[in-house]
Amino acid sequence: MRVLAIDTALGACSACILQAGDAEPLASETIPMERGHAEALLPLIDRVVSQVEGGFETLDRVAVTVGPGSYTGLRVGIAAARGIGIAADIPVIGVATLSAFLAPLMAGDRRGLFTAAIDAKHGQIYIQAVATGGRVIIQPSLMGYRDAIRLLGSGPILASGSAAPTLAAEARMQGVDIVVDDAALAPDIAWVARLGAIADPTQALPKPLYLREPDAKPQDAARIARR
């Protein structure tokens, strides 16, 4: 199975093509960015696909990060993935951003509480935690650092994601055993592809996963009354 993976959910614009079972993608490119995903994504995908013999016709499915993350970024990535899926007549798989951070933590033989933490601004984080063996300790959630540490318990904790260093600093102040494995601003695109390769297309739908309301809201008080 050959998967085109796309990520525009957070602080990068990324795409890769991975042959399922291979250790490394056939082609991959990542550009760190907070804004500008809409302008960068399609040229980036074109460059990645052009590096693989057969191009789009050799793809079996598309995987795309569906959040949590930037509202604009998510819409850009999901729209592009759906368009490619329709044009190539292949399934489009939604991959949760937190799952993409958790997957490499859980892939080895390490033990502990695997935790993905993404900076959600305003003193909050998007977080998910899974114990050794796959038991979910914290479902994908939006919460403050203190609430997260209370739910995580005493550790040991292995953390990944943009908010992992701040979470670790807060946790250590409370005597919690925690190690930051990776403080990347965005997940490894190859892991998005790997998760997309094993997902069930009927269950992992390319629909945005929003864990909070958008910051921008209509200003009802300033609305001009209709005549």
Side-chain angles (χ1 to χ4, degrees), residues 24-172:
E24 298 295 334
L26 299 172
S28 180
E29 184 176 343
T30 294
I31 305 174
M33 59 172 60
E34 291 294 333
R35 296 178 179 84
H37 298 83
E39 294 78 14
L41 179 59
L42 292 182
L44 185 150
I45 291 174
D46 185 61
R47 290 193 297 272
V48 169
V49 174
S50 67
Q51 296 177 49
V52 177
E53 185 176 355
F56 286 102
E57 294 182 1
T58 67
L59 299 177
D60 296 297
R61 58 175 57 181
V62 183
V64 60
T65 47
V66 295
S70 159
Y71 285 88
T72 302
L74 291 176
R75 288 194 294 270
V76 168
I78 292 172
R82 286 175 171 170
I84 294 169
I86 291 171
D89 193 24
I90 54 177
V92 180
I93 309 298
V95 175
T97 318
L98 290 164
S99 297
F101 276 117
L102 284 172
L105 299 182
M106 302 174 65
D109 57 0
R110 293 175 290 187
R111 302 183 65 84
L113 185 55
F114 306 111
T115 303
I118 300 170
D119 184 9
K121 311 300 183 184
H122 312 300
Q124 293 186 305
I125 56 174
Y126 299 118
I127 187 169
Q128 183 177 0
V130 180
T132 303
R135 182 167 61 94
V136 177
I137 304 301
I138 302 178
Q139 297 281 357
S141 304
L142 173 69
M143 62 181 67
Y145 286 93
R146 290 185 179 179
D147 290 334
I149 294 166
R150 177 177 55 81
L151 293 174
L152 290 170
S154 59
I157 299 166
L158 191 61
S160 180
S162 60
T166 304
L167 179 68
E170 295 277 351
R172 288 168 186 148

